[in-house]
Amino acid sequence: GPVKIRVFKRDGRLVKVLADQDAGLGIFTASWAGDTESGAIAASELYLVQILAPGINMLKKVVLVK
């Protein structure tokens, strides 16, 4: 089914889309190199990662430390 994984700043601004695709059954892996959609390096701070998939609507806090 469809999988969306997005990184946001605490104020709700989108920082990076890690996944926006249709995924098959099984484990799906995504990683973030600490960059933004424009290719800039993101600042060290707290971010929110939204994970959307069939039956999943999750928001997790992550801290980027350089």
Side-chain angles (χ1 to χ4, degrees):
V3 174
K4 290 185 181 185
I5 304 174
R6 300 181 288 188
V7 180
F8 294 92
K9 288 183 146 273
R10 288 179 288 174
D11 64 8
R13 286 184 289 158
L14 179 66
V15 175
K16 181 78 174 185
V17 176
L18 302 180
D20 188 359
Q21 63 194 63
D22 195 45
L25 296 175
I27 297 172
F28 182 86
T29 303
S31 60
W32 181 36
D35 58 332
T36 67
E37 281 294 303
S38 66
I41 298 171
S44 294
E45 63 180 281
L46 176 73
Y47 292 91
L48 302 172
V49 177
Q50 180 186 47
I51 303 164
L52 299 171
I56 300 171
N57 185 353
M58 204 180 312
L59 192 64
K60 295 289 186 178
K61 296 177 185 176
V62 297
V63 176
L64 178 63
V65 179
K66 298 185 222 174

